[in-house]
Amino acid sequence: MGTGHFFWVIFYFASLCSASLANNAKINFREKEKKVLDQILGAGKYDARIRPSGINGTDGPAVVSVNIFVRSISKIDDVTMEYSVQLTFREQWTDERLKFDDIQGRLKYLTLTEANRVWMPDLFFSNEKEGHFHNIIMPNVYIRIFPNGSVLYSIRISLTLACPMNLKLYPLDRQICSLRMASYGWTTNDLVFLWKEGDPVQVVKNLHLPRFTLEKFLTDYCNSKTNTGEYSCLKVDLLFKREFSYYLIQIYIPCCMLVIVSWVSFWLDQGAVPARVSLGVTTLLTMATQTSGINASLPPVSYTKAIDVWTGVCLTFVFGALLEFALVNYASRSDMHKENMKKKRRDLEQASIDAASDLLDTDSNATFAMKPLVRHPGDPLALEKLRQCEVHMQAPKRPNCCKTWLSKFPTRQCSRSKRIDVISRITFPLVFALFNLVYWSTYLFREEEDETF
């Protein structure tokens, strides 16, 4: 009987132990978060209006580490000089009032979605124009409280930020757009922002921009002093390079083609007035329309841009081709007038000669000295004629290239209009090629110098 009683006692204690272990296995330690939150954030225990203490519980400023993750950059507007960015913004600081027991490592952190439950840094974006939070499906924000009192605040936001641009090298330019974050009310005596060590700024892979390329980004500090104190400030500079291929296809090549088309009038006959006038006016109007369309997509700045130099010179060449035809037309009419005057003068001279010959025919006493038709071999005049024949019978000389090329430029007074056309066929392309050499070498070298800032 004693042995049986002892057996039942052992069986009872074994059942209790197994039940206790089963209950412990079923415990969800996340259910204890409410008790922990009530302990650290309960009424009269935590005041979110008071900032946390400094490092190691000192009375120094609270230190907040910041890092951002750039999710996308939707646009960079040259007219309004702004850009839109979507990012995940994170802040981390230590508040010793929020320490709690992690139950032997079972509670890694506590999660909140209400930012007003704890103290928050009063950070704002100083160059912001517009901004909004994301609330689909739920608000994209969370707060994590770790057992040692460390607080992590993360939120997804979209911002439209100001980006002052220097367009002197447009469209061969690079632009620096900044993202500035500063404290609004707390001075550096109470709050200091620092970039997170290691990798403070991350950018999504395969970031796609329509007309720009993000080359690099730099983090820095931009503390500002006012009459109310010094305020902590962080900034990240984003260096964007403008994609030139779009402007090469849409602007530079069409303008170059219009200039070359305007040179076709140099090869048309000087008498084809309708064809040359219509060609010159059409290319001039097209070039003017192209220029106005380019300027419509840019802000009205007070300085000269690289694209202004290109379109201005191209417009000058097209206008010069039209003026060249006006000069050719004037020279042609002047040549015709002079030719008519010479013809009239020759007619008058011929008429006077005919009148004089009529008078001589009527004079019966007039005598004429007749030259002999046959000369003797020793006659000096016969030797002179023979010498001239020998000169004409010499072998022809090889043509000179320079003289052949110069023969294309008529020198007679009646061919001035033709000579203007021939000179323009060579001068206009050479000057335009020289302009291209100077233009591209100047602005490309300036672009490389700006890259080394």
Side-chain angles (χ1 to χ4, degrees), residues 285-301:
L285 292 178
T286 306
M287 191 66 216
T289 304
Q290 181 85 350
T291 304
S292 61
I294 296 170
N295 294 328
S297 61
L298 292 174
V301 295

Side-chain angles (χ1 to χ4, degrees), residues 26-36 107:
K26 294 179 181 179
I27 291 177
N28 184 2
F29 286 91
R30 289 299 178 185
E31 294 177 356
K32 293 188 177 183
E33 291 187 7
K34 180 181 181 302
K35 295 182 180 180
V36 176
L107 291 179

Side-chain angles (χ1 to χ4, degrees), residues 9-49:
V9 170
I10 293 176
F11 179 76
Y12 176 74
F13 278 106
S15 300
L16 290 177
C17 291
S18 61
S20 177
L21 292 174
N23 291 333
N24 289 335
K26 294 179 181 179
I27 291 177
N28 184 2
F29 286 91
R30 289 299 178 185
E31 294 177 356
K32 293 188 177 183
E33 291 187 7
K34 180 181 181 302
K35 295 182 180 180
V36 176
L37 289 174
D38 290 340
Q39 290 176 1
I40 62 177
L41 298 177
K45 295 184 179 180
Y46 184 86
D47 193 346
R49 298 173 297 176

Side-chain angles (χ1 to χ4, degrees), residues 4 159 230 236 312 356 413 453:
L159 301 170
E230 182 179 0
V236 53
Q413 188 69 16
F453 71 99

Side-chain angles (χ1 to χ4, degrees), residues 81-151:
M81 292 192 178
E82 63 186 19
Y83 72 104
S84 298
V85 60
Q86 182 186 129
L87 51 88
T88 298
F89 175 75
R90 305 185 187 98
E91 294 176 311
Q92 192 165 8
W93 67 94
T94 300
D95 193 342
E96 295 184 353
R97 298 172 296 174
L98 299 177
K99 290 183 178 180
F100 62 90
D101 184 13
D102 60 353
I103 312 178
Q104 298 180 355
R106 299 298 182 92
L107 291 179
K108 295 183 179 180
Y109 53 82
L110 304 174
T111 303
L112 298 176
T113 57
E114 299 176 359
N116 57 357
R117 297 289 300 276
V118 297
W119 177 87
M120 294 290 299
D122 61 342
L123 181 141
F124 77 105
F125 297 92
S126 58
N127 60 335
E128 172 202 354
K129 287 187 175 182
E130 294 180 0
H132 67 272
F133 302 112
H134 294 265
N135 297 319
I136 299 175
I137 300 176
M138 293 293 291
N140 299 164
V141 58
Y142 68 81
I143 298 175
R144 291 177 181 174
I145 303 175
F146 295 88
N148 61 350
S150 177
V151 181

Side-chain angles (χ1 to χ4, degrees), residues 433-451:
L434 180 62
F435 161 72
N436 274 270
L437 179 63
V438 174
Y439 179 87
W440 295 113
S441 60
T442 300
Y443 284 103
L444 289 179
F445 288 153
R446 287 183 61 180
E447 182 187 9
E448 294 177 357
E449 292 176 359
D450 294 342
E451 188 178 359

